[in-house]
Amino acid sequence: MVDVPDRPENIVWDITYACPLRCLHCYSESGRRPSRQLSAEDLVRVVDAMVALRPRSISLAGGEPLLVPGVFDLAERIAGAGIGVLLYTGGWSLPPETAERAVRVFHRIVVSVDGATAETHDRIRGRVGSFARALTALERLDRAARGGTHRRRPAQFGVEYAVLRDNLGQLAEFCAEIAPRFPAMSFLAFGAAVPSGLASRTGVAEQELLGEDQLDLLTSAAHTRYLQSLAPASVHVSTTDNRVLQMRPDLIARGEFAALMQVEPDGAVRAMPSYEGTVGNLRTEPGELLWKRAVARWHDPFVREALAGVRTMAEWAGATRRIDYHFGTPEVRARIDRRPEPQSSPNRR
């Protein structure tokens, strides 16, 4: 058995569920549920509770973190404590002055882009024009990173691309044609979309999530080297099946798991990043105690039984639905029951 750290190595805080996008695979269903955004005082309280855990990094995600008033002040508070602070954004609205401040405050900025064409990206992201806006955000980050004076090295920035059947065939095009537009960009991460949140719906699992052969192709060393050869030398290309988020018993035993704490907007801590079900709130209880409860959930008999036989994405989606419904509150179950199944994509491979 592998020893589990006594505190999370990294924390992801979905600081708000408010979002201008309507992504078909969104794990947090952002934009479709109440934002649950805290007051300024309580935002600071949650930040201080996370900092007290001394993780390597704290990521501000969502929803769209840039919609939160005072988000840069919170990021500076984290950075001032000597902890790496990351920003995840859909890039819908990133004015030049916001981009300039972002590269000064954050250590790493991730823009979500899910296709090499507007048609594909906009369908997945649920908003016409979102591809153009994401590329504009990257242009502004690129300009800010290369221009002006910085008290410290400007933030690394790049793209995380959720790989689905509909956009798998565009990875090479993205590396060869999109990445070179941004000379200061430093990374391009292709990760298989996981069956969490909206992506756990039966229709998404069957129509959109990668099959086993596609997962093998995505993560093969030869394919990753090929994608790297197409991208600028300054851009690090990586691929992953995101299996570390599965929390399957045998994977945990081999050390293949994410020592990650996921925090909801109001400070509630999820037991496992990819699944519904919380173990308490950072505003009212010590983070160390909540982490112990989270780790205990990993070994809960229901969780172990639900995940033990999972091998395919479709099986993972089924296990997610079982776990979410079992540990979710009545409000969560009602929200799951209201989820509509997605329409079939005309471009699906």
Side-chain angles (χ1 to χ4, degrees):
M1 295 294 292
V2 172
D3 290 333
V4 175
D6 61 2
R7 62 187 62 207
E9 295 175 351
N10 302 286
I11 298 175
V12 173
W13 184 16
D14 295 324
I15 194 170
T16 181
Y17 285 144
C19 187
L21 304 179
R22 296 294 182 270
C23 306
L24 68 86
H25 59 301
C26 183
Y27 70 87
S28 64
E29 301 183 52
S30 299
R32 300 173 176 87
R33 54 197 292 188
S35 65
R36 288 168 58 187
Q37 190 175 310
L38 296 174
S39 66
E41 180 180 0
D42 279 338
L43 287 170
V44 171
R45 183 174 290 114
V46 173
V47 163
D48 289 346
M50 293 189 298
V51 166
L53 287 167
R54 306 306 303 172
R56 289 202 297 259
S57 70
I58 296 175
S59 299
L60 302 184
E64 176 51 69
L66 294 176
L67 295 176
V68 177
V71 68
F72 287 108
D73 295 332
L74 297 171
E76 287 175 338
R77 192 177 185 94
I78 295 168
I83 295 171
V85 57
L86 288 70
L87 171 69
Y88 283 78
T89 177
W92 180 259
S93 180
L94 191 74
E97 61 274 16
T98 302
E100 291 167 5
R101 188 173 184 189
V103 300
R104 294 196 306 269
V105 172
F106 290 94
H107 294 90
R108 188 176 177 93
I109 300 170
V110 180
V111 181
S112 297
V113 187
D114 293 342
T117 65
E119 179 185 8
T120 296
H121 173 93
D122 290 0
R123 185 193 75 81
I124 293 170
R125 291 274 154 179
R127 288 294 298 272
V128 173
S130 59
F131 181 73
R133 284 176 176 254
L135 294 194
T136 296
L138 287 167
E139 290 170 358
R140 290 171 175 169
L141 290 169
D142 186 78
R143 192 176 303 119
R146 290 186 290 118
T149 58
H150 304 280
R151 287 179 296 177
R152 62 170 178 81
R153 183 180 178 183
Q156 291 187 335
F157 77 91
V159 167
E160 284 199 3
Y161 182 123
V163 185
L164 298 155
R165 296 187 187 191
D166 196 26
N167 63 17
L168 176 62
Q170 296 185 356
L171 273 59
E173 182 181 354
F174 198 98
C175 290
E177 298 185 18
I178 306 297
R181 299 185 191 181
F182 315 109
M185 190 168 79
S186 59
F187 63 88
L188 178 52
F190 295 111
V194 303
S196 177
L198 291 178
S200 69
R201 293 175 292 175
T202 303
V204 176
E206 294 176 350
Q207 300 173 22
E208 304 284 356
L209 299 184
L210 300 184
E212 294 309 290
D213 291 345
Q214 293 166 321
L215 284 169
D216 289 343
L217 169 65
L218 171 66
T219 58
S220 71
H223 185 239
T224 305
R225 287 194 301 269
Y226 170 65
L227 295 176
Q228 182 68 73
S229 73
L230 298 175
S234 58
V235 175
H236 175 70
V237 177
S238 63
T239 61
T240 178
D241 57 12
N242 279 318
R243 189 173 61 170
V244 294
L245 296 173
Q246 196 172 96
M247 310 306 284
R248 209 171 71 206
D250 60 314
L251 296 180
I252 293 175
R254 297 204 300 265
E256 298 178 35
F257 64 90
L260 170 69
M261 174 182 281
Q262 184 176 341
V263 183
E264 297 188 348
D266 61 1
V269 173
R270 287 195 176 195
M272 297 181 287
S274 293
Y275 308 97
E276 297 279 358
T278 60
V279 292
N281 196 296
L282 288 170
R283 290 183 291 149
T284 57
E285 296 182 279
E288 294 87 347
L289 175 61
L290 301 184
W291 180 245
K292 288 180 180 178
R293 290 178 188 165
V295 173
R297 176 72 59 81
W298 305 357
H299 305 287
D300 181 279
F302 185 90
V303 172
R304 292 175 64 87
E305 187 275 330
L307 292 171
V310 167
R311 293 299 180 271
T312 68
M313 282 288 187
E315 290 169 348
W316 187 0
T320 298
R321 294 193 296 271
R322 289 184 62 198
I323 291 170
D324 288 355
Y325 216 80
H326 182 82
F327 291 104
T329 63
E331 179 184 4
V332 167
R333 293 173 183 172
R335 173 163 46 78
I336 292 172
D337 290 340
R338 292 193 300 269
R339 290 172 178 165
E341 285 295 331
Q343 296 181 347
S344 179
S345 166
N347 300 319
R348 179 172 55 85
R349 292 168 177 80

